[in-house]
């Protein structure tokens, strides 16, 4: 008999759909001429890395993300899932391919709540939803923090991770602090 036998398993798969900073915005911030395309792939990678670093810092998705949550041995008429920046619910499907629509969907700063009309008793429940911000809805302060991190990574003279750097303003962290999940 396993110690973990009665605990439902959950698995989540995340796929980034779009990022809050475009290549043109990053190049403008870096003062790179828009016709200079040699670094485009590199800058695109920095957008990805800076956004992921911001997500790690605040503890929730910023980039628009498709999520697929699989819950084993689900039996309830409600579900609370701690996943910040809930954007929208795509689908709720059980192992018999029956689709469910919640009566109520409530979002919280660090999660979302679904209430169904009856108890769902299934071996596997698959919940698809989006988190993060649509491109034009990302708060400007978060975009600015991402741009700061991009320039830190792009320009080693201004970078705060070099040993030769004498200044570390912590601007990235200060801007994102208001969005950070606090845990006690």
């Amino acid at each position: 008999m396993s110690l973990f036998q009665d605990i439902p398993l959950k698995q989540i798969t995340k796929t980034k759909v779009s990022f809050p900073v475009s290549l043109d915005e990053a190049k403008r911030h870096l003062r790179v001429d828009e016709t200079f395309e040699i670094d485009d792939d590199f800058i695109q990678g920095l957008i990805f890395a800076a956004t992921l670093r911001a997500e790690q810092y605040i503890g929730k998705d910023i980039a628009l993300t498709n999520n697929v949550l699989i819950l084993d041995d689900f039996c309830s008429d409600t579900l609370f899932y701690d996943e910040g920046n809930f954007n929208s619910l795509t689908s709720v499907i059980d192992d018999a391919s029956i689709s469910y629509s919640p009566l109520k969907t409530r979002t919280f700063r660090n999660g979302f709540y679904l209430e169904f009309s009856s108890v769902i008793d299934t071996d596997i429940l698959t919940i698809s939803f989006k988190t993060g911000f649509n491109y034009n809805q990302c708060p400007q302060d978060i975009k600015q923090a991402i741009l700061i991190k991009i320039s830190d990574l792009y320009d080693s003279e201004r970078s705060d991770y070099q040993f030769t750097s004498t200044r570390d303003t912590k601007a990235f962290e200060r801007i994102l602090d208001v969005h950070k999940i606090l845990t006690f």
Side-chain angles (χ1 to χ4, degrees):
M1 180 165 191
S2 171
L3 177 65
F4 300 103
Q5 186 174 3
D6 296 324
I7 299 173
L9 297 175
K10 63 182 175 183
Q11 306 165 34
I12 190 159
T13 305
K14 294 176 164 283
T15 306
K16 301 295 180 191
V17 176
S18 67
F19 291 86
V21 174
S22 70
L23 179 61
D24 289 340
E25 289 172 316
K27 288 174 84 169
R28 210 171 24 255
H29 181 78
L30 296 170
R31 294 189 176 108
V32 173
D33 188 85
E34 62 189 33
T35 61
F36 182 73
E37 297 175 352
I38 293 172
D39 280 355
D40 282 3
D41 289 340
F42 178 65
I43 295 169
Q44 196 67 51
L46 295 179
I47 292 168
F48 179 78
T51 303
L52 291 182
R53 176 65 188 105
E55 289 177 342
Q56 290 167 350
Y57 187 78
I58 68 171
K60 26 186 176 179
D61 290 327
I62 295 170
L64 187 61
T65 306
N66 287 332
N67 300 269
V68 178
L69 174 65
I70 298 173
L71 299 170
D72 290 341
D73 298 325
F74 185 82
C75 184
S76 182
D77 62 346
T78 61
L79 171 73
F80 177 79
Y81 191 66
D82 191 21
E83 181 69 44
N85 283 347
F86 177 80
N87 186 303
S88 62
L89 182 68
T90 307
S91 65
V92 178
I93 301 172
D94 70 10
D95 57 348
S97 297
I98 297 173
S99 182
Y100 297 90
S101 295
L103 289 175
K104 293 181 186 175
T105 302
R106 290 187 225 150
T107 59
F108 300 94
R109 184 171 175 96
N110 297 325
F112 64 92
Y113 169 83
L114 304 176
E115 184 177 318
F116 300 97
S117 60
S118 61
V119 172
I120 300 172
D121 187 1
T122 183
D123 288 337
I124 296 174
L125 187 67
T126 304
I127 302 157
S128 300
F129 60 97
K130 294 185 185 301
T131 53
F133 297 103
N134 293 327
Y135 176 74
N136 292 329
Q137 295 175 338
C138 183
Q140 285 300 317
D141 58 341
I142 291 177
K143 284 181 77 163
Q144 188 61 46
I146 292 169
L147 288 167
I148 288 168
K149 187 53 74 178
I150 291 168
S151 61
D152 279 351
L153 296 170
Y154 186 77
D155 184 4
S156 63
E157 290 298 313
R158 295 184 296 173
S159 173
D160 63 356
Y161 60 83
Q162 295 283 327
F163 290 110
T164 58
S165 179
T166 58
R167 266 180 54 201
D168 183 8
T169 64
K170 300 284 185 194
F172 176 80
E173 292 84 358
R174 287 183 179 157
I175 291 171
L176 292 177
D177 277 343
V178 298
H179 299 281
K180 193 172 183 174
I181 291 177
L182 299 175
T183 55
F184 298 95

